[in-house]
Amino acid sequence: DQQVKQNSPSLSVQEGRISILNCDYTNSMFDYFLWYKKYPAEGPTFLISISSIKDKNEDGRFTVFLNKSAKHLSLHIVPSQPGDSAVYFCAARVNNDMRFGAGTRLTVKP
Amino acid sequence: EAQVTQNPRYLITVTGKKLTVTCSQNMNHEYMSWYRQDPGLGLRQIYYSMNVEVTDKGDVPEGYKVSRKEKRNFPLILESPSPNQTSLYFCASSLSAWVASNQPQHFGDGTRLSIL
């Protein structure tokens, strides 16, 4: 039972444009959401997070939006850069349990 | 340098031959966990440990064992590996599970296991 879903396996955008990565979840008990970025042959690295009591969190070029009623969150990257090309995992936490989505491969073309 | 170190990085072995993947962190983190990554399924938690001598099952614990005798080490043990355990494995640690939201997990670089 996949409680966190990333329905787009891949996304391609032009350098300088906005990248929007989406994530849906089913468990209303999740209290914290995170985005991780993963380059080939490396482990995931933390990017940005948001508490369930907020609807937006911003860190430089990265903004995460949370829509609790729709059980949906998204990651916006503006402007996108070629170095942002990676696999992005959405994750959600409840108690000690962390659930990850399947990932979206972002390619930013120069 | 703060890091999570996994060994080996790659291993090809045969069904039934016991193997151990080691994981060590140098950040004095209390919480450690193991994940496996499979295509289309993302990362699934195998086991986690809140602290020394405290371990709990995650999503997919069948066929795996762990131990936490020291704070820095959290080995993953496959007593009798089978081909369906062929996967990419990640170890992770964080300061504490309770504040994991503010202290996100640090991941190792992964161990690719192939069980023939």
Side-chain angles (χ1 to χ4, degrees):
Chain A
D1 171 32
Q2 212 159 352
Q3 298 184 28
V4 178
K5 292 182 182 176
Q6 294 176 256
N7 292 316
S8 298
S10 63
L11 174 68
S12 181
V13 300
Q14 208 65 37
E15 181 179 6
R17 301 288 187 112
I18 184 171
S19 295
I20 300 176
L21 296 102
N22 294 305
C23 179
D24 297 295
Y25 62 95
T26 57
N27 189 345
S28 58
M29 299 301 292
F30 287 137
D31 62 354
Y32 220 86
F33 302 89
L34 306 93
W35 284 94
Y36 283 85
K37 176 179 176 180
K38 184 183 178 305
Y39 292 117
E42 295 182 10
T45 54
F46 170 72
L47 190 58
I48 193 169
S49 62
I50 187 168
S51 163
S52 61
I53 62 173
K54 294 188 175 181
D55 55 18
K56 178 182 174 182
N57 187 28
E58 194 171 348
D59 183 4
R61 296 185 297 115
F62 303 92
T63 304
V64 56
F65 295 92
L66 176 62
N67 182 334
K68 283 184 68 177
S69 60
K71 294 192 176 71
H72 177 84
L73 72 157
S74 60
L75 174 68
H76 292 212
I77 306 174
V78 183
S80 301
Q81 299 173 354
D84 296 329
S85 297
V87 176
Y88 289 79
F89 290 100
C90 165
R93 186 194 72 152
V94 55
N95 298 323
N96 297 321
D97 198 5
M98 188 77 79
R99 299 291 176 117
F100 285 79
T104 296
R105 181 178 300 279
L106 173 66
T107 302
V108 180
K109 296 179 178 177
Chain B
E1 180 190 351
Q3 57 186 7
V4 178
T5 304
Q6 297 178 225
N7 279 297
R9 292 292 310 278
Y10 304 91
L11 179 64
I12 302 173
T13 188
V14 295
T15 300
K17 186 176 180 184
K18 180 180 177 181
L19 68 91
T20 299
V21 185
T22 63
C23 174
S24 180
Q25 49 92 5
N26 62 359
M27 296 167 279
N28 202 35
H29 282 172
E30 290 185 349
Y31 182 87
M32 296 185 75
S33 60
W34 275 103
Y35 295 87
R36 60 178 287 174
Q37 183 190 352
D38 301 289
L41 296 176
L43 290 100
R44 292 180 293 165
Q45 192 172 51
I46 302 170
Y47 268 94
Y48 63 92
S49 169
M50 298 280 287
N51 213 325
V52 176
E53 301 293 1
V54 180
T55 61
D56 277 297
K57 295 178 181 178
D59 245 356
V60 288
E62 296 78 19
Y64 304 95
K65 285 173 58 175
V66 292
S67 69
R68 188 89 182 274
K69 295 185 178 131
E70 309 163 279
K71 201 169 189 180
R72 63 182 291 129
N73 295 323
F74 190 45
L76 179 70
I77 303 153
L78 284 71
E79 293 270 3
S80 183
S82 62
N84 65 10
Q85 292 177 298
T86 292
S87 187
L88 179 58
Y89 291 84
F90 290 101
C91 179
S93 73
S94 63
L95 192 62
S96 162
W98 301 114
V99 293
S101 56
N102 296 319
Q103 298 288 339
Q105 293 182 71
H106 297 257
F107 283 82
D109 285 338
T111 295
R112 188 168 289 282
L113 289 184
S114 294
I115 317 291
L116 305 177

